Amino acid sequence: MDIPAMAEAVARGDRRMLARAITLIESSRPADRQAARELLTALPDRPAMRIGLSGTPGVGKSTFIESFGLMLVEAGHRVAVLAVDPSSARSGGSILGDKTRMEHLSRHPGAFIRPSPSQSQLGGVARRTREAIRLCEAAGHDVVLVETVGVGQSETMVADMTDLFVLLLAPGGGDELQGVKRGIMEIADLILVNKADGDLRATAIRTVADYAGALRLLRKRNQDPEGWPQALPVSALDAQGLAEAWTALSALYDWRRDEGVLARTRAAQAVTWLEREIEAGLHARLARDPRLADLMPDLRARVAGGTLPAEAAAETALDALLGTASHTP
Ligand code: GDP
């Protein structure tokens, strides 16, 4: 594969090549990984506004991305939509998988939509999604939406690769009722109470007030300006409140950029991913090591038989692979 040519085509905004480039970075074949690293190094750095979006199934994420994304592309933005869904490998693509989702947005020339990479491990999915963000940015997308289902750990991963985090909620009910984990509330910059239309509108407005209060008690980020995190009502279906949501997000983004918060956050995120990459790479290399394969049957049998404690067995294996001198007391 001609990596410089691919990099050049991606940077030109060639969507077909962007899709191919993402396929390349999603591959776990060693030769492809090498090519992917070359590609990522060759691409220009064009940071976009990276927005993480989460919410339990049925809350209206795809409807929201469709109408919010359309509003943005019609205003001249170029929007990329990526997903982090560790379950998609098992269910055969639950998120963004079927073509009927985001029907209009997916056909718009200003938008690029990509389903979650089909890997069984959340860590793997998240790492590849982070690289896909870079590719989408290099291709000229100025807004990148990263969608995830509200199941806990994937939110943390997405928060570690985005600038802003949006949580979509349904009208009414407390956190428990909506299955929202406290940790997710803590990383949300903006809570959007969706379905604020028809009979649900009044409930939605009340829910916004409840969450606005709760958010301020829950988290006081001294790095953010007064009044954040925020809660707002939207109707993804009727495209109501979307402009307000965008104005709010843009204001927070601009503030964080001007105050240097954005740069510091991104630097810290990069270091987090360096550590994750080392961890994952180390694990992969050790798992492939033939010496471990030789050792394991015996160690497994002794640990299972109760003649050797698990910790001692693990230490034996690691000493054999890495040497005893590699760890300091
Ligand atoms: P997802 O699972 O979070 O992606 O949710 P969907 O976008 O598929 O929406 C789930 C259901 O909620 C669908 O039947 C939508 O039509 C409906 N829905 C989504 N947004 C709204 C909204 O703003 N108002 C109302 N009334 N229904 C909505």
Side-chain angles (χ1 to χ4, degrees):
M1 194 168 311
D2 186 350
I3 295 300
M6 183 180 252
E8 193 266 325
V10 168
R12 225 188 317 118
D14 181 330
R15 286 149 57 100
R16 217 170 45 91
M17 203 52 103
L18 173 60
R20 279 188 55 192
I22 295 180
T23 303
L24 174 71
I25 58 139
E26 285 173 1
S27 162
S28 49
R29 288 177 46 217
D32 288 344
R33 291 306 306 149
Q34 179 58 33
R37 278 192 290 273
E38 277 169 40
L39 177 67
L40 288 164
T41 312
L43 283 169
D45 221 9
R46 286 183 194 149
M49 189 196 281
R50 305 171 182 168
I51 306 173
L53 177 78
S54 174
T56 46
V59 74
K61 290 182 297 302
S62 33
T63 312
F64 175 80
I65 293 172
E66 166 96 341
S67 40
F68 190 68
L70 276 173
M71 175 187 77
L72 294 180
V73 291
E74 275 156 18
H77 290 283
R78 291 190 58 207
V79 178
V81 181
L82 304 171
V84 170
D85 178 12
S87 67
S88 66
R90 270 166 284 144
S91 64
S94 65
I95 220 172
L96 292 168
D98 62 75
K99 291 275 186 235
T100 56
R101 291 187 78 209
M102 304 162 203
E103 211 188 322
H104 299 288
L105 186 63
S106 62
R107 277 197 250 112
H108 197 286
F112 178 84
I113 299 182
R114 180 83 179 187
S116 181
S118 55
Q119 292 183 15
S120 53
Q121 276 198 319
L122 172 61
V125 172
R127 282 155 64 213
R128 300 293 86 92
T129 303
R130 184 167 185 271
E131 293 177 347
I133 292 178
R134 284 254 355 258
L135 294 180
C136 291
E137 290 178 340
H141 294 95
D142 62 322
V143 179
V144 180
L145 285 168
V146 186
E147 177 190 7
T148 189
V149 286
V151 291
Q153 221 204 336
S154 62
E155 274 76 16
T156 315
M157 292 269 185
V158 171
D160 281 343
M161 61 177 95
T162 50
D163 305 315
L164 303 159
F165 201 89
V166 177
L167 176 62
L168 220 54
L169 292 178
D175 311 350
E176 264 85 330
L177 220 70
Q178 299 204 19
V180 178
K181 303 245 164 25
R182 191 191 163 98
I184 300 172
M185 291 280 292
E186 280 167 354
I187 56 177
D189 296 306
L190 179 63
I191 283 185
L192 295 177
V193 179
N194 191 32
K195 310 194 183 182
D197 48 48
D199 293 346
L200 288 171
R201 181 155 175 86
T203 317
I205 303 293
R206 244 189 345 265
T207 311
V208 165
D210 289 348
Y211 277 107
L215 275 173
R216 262 158 234 157
L217 289 178
L218 197 66
R219 187 189 64 175
K220 197 179 173 320
R221 262 195 200 161
N222 39 20
Q223 60 166 27
D224 282 336
E226 220 14 68
W228 287 92
Q230 279 190 17
L232 292 171
V234 291
S235 167
L237 205 60
D238 297 349
Q240 293 295 311
L242 303 178
E244 289 81 357
W246 173 247
T247 303
L249 283 173
S250 305
L252 182 61
Y253 183 85
D254 289 348
W255 188 91
R256 285 185 182 167
R257 188 194 50 212
D258 298 344
E259 295 294 317
V261 175
L262 207 55
R264 281 200 299 278
T265 307
R266 286 185 174 189
Q269 287 175 339
V271 172
T272 299
W273 286 95
L274 163 69
E275 287 161 2
R276 287 197 186 136
E277 286 292 336
I278 290 178
E279 221 171 276
L282 197 57
H283 188 268
R285 284 193 199 190
L286 293 182
R288 277 200 305 270
D289 196 308
R291 289 173 297 175
L292 189 64
D294 287 347
L295 275 170
M296 278 311 279
D298 176 53
L299 290 178
R300 228 182 249 125
R302 285 160 66 193
V303 168
T307 56
L308 185 65
E311 299 75 22
E315 200 62 16
T316 305
L318 292 176
D319 282 351
L321 293 169
L322 301 167
T324 46
S326 62
H327 48 90
T328 44

